[in-house]
Amino acid sequence: MPGEAAKTVPPEAGSTATRILDAAEALFAKRGFAGVSVREIAGRVGLNQASIYNHFPSKQALYEAVLERGLGPITDLLAEGKGSFQSRDFQEQLLERLVDHLWRTPHLPKLIQREVLDGGEYLERLVDHWLTPIYEQGTSAMEATPGFVDWPLADRPLLILGLYHLLFGYFTSAALYARVLGKDPLSPEMRRTHLDFLRRASDRLLHQDVNAPTR
Amino acid sequence: MPGEAAKTVPPEAGSTATRILDAAEALFAKRGFAGVSVREIAGRVGLNQASIYNHFPSKQALYEAVLERGLGPITDLLAEGKGSFQSRDFQEQLLERLVDHLWRTPHLPKLIQREVLDGGEYLERLVDHWLTPIYEQGTSAMEATPGFVDWPLADRPLLILGLYHLLFGYFTSAALYARVLGKDPLSPEMRRTHLDFLRRASDRLLHQDVNAPTR
Amino acid sequence: MPGEAAKTVPPEAGSTATRILDAAEALFAKRGFAGVSVREIAGRVGLNQASIYNHFPSKQALYEAVLERGLGPITDLLAEGKGSFQSRDFQEQLLERLVDHLWRTPHLPKLIQREVLDGGEYLERLVDHWLTPIYEQGTSAMEATPGFVDWPLADRPLLILGLYHLLFGYFTSAALYARVLGKDPLSPEMRRTHLDFLRRASDRLLHQDVNAPTR
Amino acid sequence: MPGEAAKTVPPEAGSTATRILDAAEALFAKRGFAGVSVREIAGRVGLNQASIYNHFPSKQALYEAVLERGLGPITDLLAEGKGSFQSRDFQEQLLERLVDHLWRTPHLPKLIQREVLDGGEYLERLVDHWLTPIYEQGTSAMEATPGFVDWPLADRPLLILGLYHLLFGYFTSAALYARVLGKDPLSPEMRRTHLDFLRRASDRLLHQDVNAPTR
DNA sequence: GATGAATGAGGATTCATTCAT
DNA sequence: AATGAATGAATCCTCATTCAT
């Protein structure tokens, strides 16, 4: 998108390590691990290249610190309501809070999507240790949701991941949305539209008593 | 990152240029433009790095050739039925043919997603020259679909892009699916499940007479 | 010693790889592995830094190639007369040929001494595979030499290694000799003196009927 | 290279400066000036790299302090008996005291040998100001030793330097000895063997009435 | 006296690209 | 069409050193 002109992280914005993480997060999200040089990250923070290594032992470690920092709140969010997935209210609330968080950290979905595309090993750990438990618990909780059990068993995992794509896709494909919609998808006024759409879509997919034949 | 099992493109598989494109497609899909070196592509084809330049003038040009080759059939597919989006039969058929094509070229969605994440300028051209016209025509055609006009005006673009994510996400996130499902998402037996799921999901989103209050 | 002004290996002197080896040998001998940069080696050969890597995969590999090339002839020399150490004539001849070789490759002893000082692993392989067998065979052959068996058993290994130091020390300490002697120790006229000295010294240590009390 | 077993200089062992010197001596001996980083020296002493500069103005100065501290006692030893070289008793005694000193500071010969190999300028000063006078005085004193004057004039400097190699070589090549002898050359039980050998060897080279034809 | 952070210079190595063969 | 060799620029990272705290 616009304004590629080297934005600098303002010097007052938190500790040096935090400012490095901020700059790295933005850059890794925009161009991926291989597409970003340590020099560039340092430049954004107004540091010499070598100074990065006073805060992080390697580019890889910095990358992982970025992921860690970004993913923590999300897995927390999910883990938090471990026992209450079956309540529709909770589901609504969770959706709202997730959307909220993503709107505040729009780099995050891109980072995750890049990690997923790479099949990176960090993803592996994340999925195994955090997501799978939550996923399984969530799934079993959903068994109580009428609209969910309408779906064939085999489709249910795809449905859940589909919901994930519906949610994350908006951010990972912001560039595409911008082009197609003709307006900035991250503008404040799009936020409500986005949430409304997600509510409606998940409603149709999850909470409807469906007798309609698939054809 | 892992899984480097040096697959070589077999010498008999088409012209040298084609074999280069094949190797490049797989690698660019897996690791992105910046994450792949010309040397590595050449290695996969059993060529010296210099030889690549007998077939493509630059790495960038090779990358674009890969995109061109991959995207052509898809835009053709879409452009083909320019006038007939309003028929539900056609929509069903289009979905089936798209899924078909993607199953045959599973690298493609990854390439596209990377392009989208990068906000690459190639994407720009593609969207402006090809997708936007089709998108607009498709949208206006869909106005005849009852399940579609149930959606608020503002949501409709999001819905269409959401369908895109539902479809493409399966491939872009193959690594995630593999981990979560515990089985190879590209195995032949998953194919039908995937198509079934897509049918059911688009059905619910598009073709249902919905009176259910969104809450 | 004199003339530190970047001597360049003349372009006509053999293949590029050989010229790299020559330059590297001289530099590694003079300043050790860590004290020499690839850039400097390349500079001496009149090459760009990167070009070195067209001929050797790494600095370490280049270093080992230098050792290999230098040590080969010496171990060959030793291995050659495997069965004939007991003949005094052969011993004389061996000494002469060794001295000859070292005078032609005066960098070599320095390289070896540096490797010995480092306790490098290359030395390990060399000693175990090449030197130890020769050493053992040589030792047992010497049992027939009267002047040798005069030495207490425990001293014999030290004696052999002492002879090695007498021989190699002249080259490893060339700088010291230059300073102390006040003349270039590698000048042609010193060569005979050196050989004479070695003959006389080994004679006294090895071939004398000694009854003199050690004190 | 191997054997990095991070030995730390114990905190109680003397003043900080001394502990730095100890750590630096061991490391410089093992890997040479260029092969050791200030960070590593600091690490061994349990200090931050910057702290080194509270005690020594530069890496180079630290290196020279190490040499100074190590070489002082040796040149003292030699200078001490300036007038009494001609006595055989003194020679014996000197040898014993030298060996003694070296066994207590086995890093020293390695440091010296590295300096010699480098042809370092510190060596230059050392040789010119200290060694040459002693060497000349020693030589002229030896003129009274019958076994010495048996040697041709031209050989005599080589003989003296040869004795030096016999003595120092044991320490500079400790790694080689370890490998060839199959036991630790610095173990206490080797000490006597070593001294005995040196006595016997210098005896044969220096104190024998030799009529035996060199052949 | 100790240290965390900063930095310019330089370390080895890889990059995409060119060119003569 | 293929390649070995060459190269300038860039890669990540380490170096010795400085300085404010």
Side-chain angles (χ1 to χ4, degrees), chain C residues 30-50:
Chain C
K30 193 187 301 195
R31 292 211 298 282
F33 182 80
V36 175
S37 75
V38 171
R39 196 192 324 264
E40 192 176 5
I41 297 170
R44 285 253 192 145
V45 189
L47 279 180
N48 180 289
Q49 195 179 175

Side-chain angles (χ1 to χ4, degrees), chain A residues 32-199:
Chain A
F33 182 81
V36 175
S37 75
V38 172
R39 197 197 317 268
E40 192 175 6
I41 297 170
R44 286 252 192 146
V45 189
L47 280 181
N48 182 289
Q49 194 180 175
S51 298
I52 298 291
Y53 293 87
N54 286 325
H55 300 271
F56 300 92
S58 70
K59 185 189 177 188
Q60 181 69 36
L62 169 56
Y63 176 70
E64 286 178 15
V66 166
L67 280 184
E68 206 90 47
R69 186 183 69 156
L71 288 171
I74 291 205
T75 56
D76 287 357
L77 218 55
L78 292 174
E80 204 172 292
K82 257 189 150 176
S84 26
F85 275 110
Q86 60 276 60
S87 136
R88 182 168 175 180
D89 265 5
F90 174 74
Q91 288 173 29
E92 286 270 353
Q93 211 186 57
L94 179 62
L95 179 64
E96 187 149 358
R97 291 172 68 187
L98 270 175
V99 172
D100 232 58
H101 184 66
L102 295 184
W103 269 86
R104 257 178 289 116
T105 63
H107 295 318
L108 199 50
K110 295 193 180 188
L111 278 173
I112 296 173
Q113 182 62 44
R114 296 204 109 106
E115 198 50 20
V116 168
L117 281 166
D118 291 348
E121 57 165 45
Y122 187 86
L123 176 78
E124 212 162 288
R125 283 189 318 220
L126 177 78
V127 169
D128 290 354
H129 293 15
W130 289 98
L131 252 41
T132 301
I134 292 166
Y135 168 83
E136 273 162 9
Q137 211 214 347
T139 309
S140 81
M142 285 242 210
E143 309 292 333
T145 308
F148 185 71
V149 291
D150 283 346
W151 289 81
L153 253 180
D155 280 11
R156 296 180 196 170
L158 299 192
L159 173 58
I160 293 194
L161 287 164
L163 291 169
Y164 156 81
H165 289 129
L166 243 25
L167 172 52
F168 274 59
Y170 185 78
F171 299 96
T172 62
S173 303
L176 183 60
Y177 280 72
R179 211 89 207 145
V180 169
L181 302 180
K183 52 183 153 184
D184 180 7
L186 293 181
S187 68
E189 59 266 34
M190 278 304 289
R191 187 168 173 177
R192 177 125 300 268
T193 306
H194 180 212
L195 182 55
D196 277 353
F197 164 71
L198 285 175
R199 278 222 192 86

Side-chain angles (χ1 to χ4, degrees), chain C residues 118, chain D residues 28-30 32 110-118:
Chain C
D118 291 348
Chain D
F28 284 143
K30 194 188 300 194
K110 296 193 180 189
L111 280 172
I112 297 173
Q113 181 61 48
R114 295 204 111 107
E115 230 355 64
V116 168
L117 281 165
D118 291 349

Side-chain angles (χ1 to χ4, degrees), chain C residues 107-134:
Chain C
H107 294 319
L108 200 49
K110 296 192 179 190
L111 278 173
I112 296 173
Q113 182 61 44
R114 296 204 108 108
E115 198 50 19
V116 168
L117 281 166
D118 291 348
E121 58 164 45
Y122 186 86
L123 176 79
E124 212 162 288
R125 283 189 318 220
L126 177 79
V127 169
D128 290 354
H129 293 16
W130 288 97
L131 251 40
T132 300
I134 292 166

Side-chain angles (χ1 to χ4, degrees), chain D residues 51-91:
Chain D
S51 300
I52 298 291
Y53 292 85
N54 286 326
H55 301 271
F56 301 91
S58 72
K59 184 189 178 188
Q60 181 66 37
L62 168 57
Y63 176 70
E64 286 177 15
V66 166
L67 279 184
E68 206 89 46
R69 185 182 71 155
L71 288 170
I74 292 206
T75 55
D76 288 357
L77 217 56
L78 292 174
E80 205 171 291
K82 259 189 146 173
S84 25
F85 276 110
Q86 59 277 63
S87 139
R88 181 167 177 179
D89 264 5
F90 175 76
Q91 287 172 29

Side-chain angles (χ1 to χ4, degrees), chain C residues 29-31 33-35 60 88-89 92 110 113-114 116-121 123-124 127-128 131 135 147 150-152 154-155 157-159 161-162 164-166 169-170 172-173 175-177 179-181 190 193-194 196-197 199-201 203-206 208 210 212-215, chain D residues 1-2 29-31 34-35 88-89 92 110 113-114 116-119 123-124 127-128 131-132 135 147 150-152 154-155 157-159 161-166 169-170 172-173 175-177 179-181 190 193-194 196-197 199-201 203-206 208 210 212-215:
Chain C
K30 193 187 301 195
R31 292 211 298 282
F33 182 80
Q60 181 68 37
R88 181 168 176 177
D89 265 6
E92 286 270 354
K110 296 192 179 190
Q113 182 61 44
R114 296 204 108 108
V116 168
L117 281 166
D118 291 348
E121 58 164 45
L123 176 79
E124 212 162 288
V127 169
D128 290 354
L131 251 40
Y135 168 83
D150 283 346
W151 289 82
D155 281 11
L158 299 191
L159 175 57
L161 287 165
Y164 157 81
H165 290 129
L166 245 25
Y170 186 78
T172 62
S173 305
L176 182 61
Y177 279 72
R179 210 90 207 145
V180 169
L181 301 181
M190 278 305 289
T193 306
H194 180 213
D196 277 353
F197 164 72
R199 278 223 192 84
R200 233 179 304 262
D203 221 54
R204 295 210 178 193
L205 290 171
L206 273 183
Q208 232 162 88
V210 181
T214 303
R215 183 177 149 86
Chain D
M1 320 208 172
K30 194 188 300 194
R31 295 212 296 282
R88 181 167 177 179
D89 264 5
E92 287 269 353
K110 296 193 180 189
Q113 181 61 48
R114 295 204 111 107
V116 168
L117 281 165
D118 291 349
L123 177 78
E124 213 161 288
V127 169
D128 290 354
L131 250 40
T132 301
Y135 168 84
D150 282 344
W151 288 82
D155 281 11
L158 299 191
L159 175 58
L161 287 165
L163 291 168
Y164 157 81
H165 289 130
L166 242 26
Y170 186 78
T172 61
S173 304
L176 183 60
Y177 279 71
R179 209 91 206 146
V180 168
L181 301 181
M190 279 304 290
T193 306
H194 180 212
D196 277 355
F197 165 72
R199 278 223 192 84
R200 236 180 300 263
D203 221 55
R204 294 207 180 195
L205 290 171
L206 273 182
Q208 232 162 87
V210 182
T214 303
R215 179 178 148 87

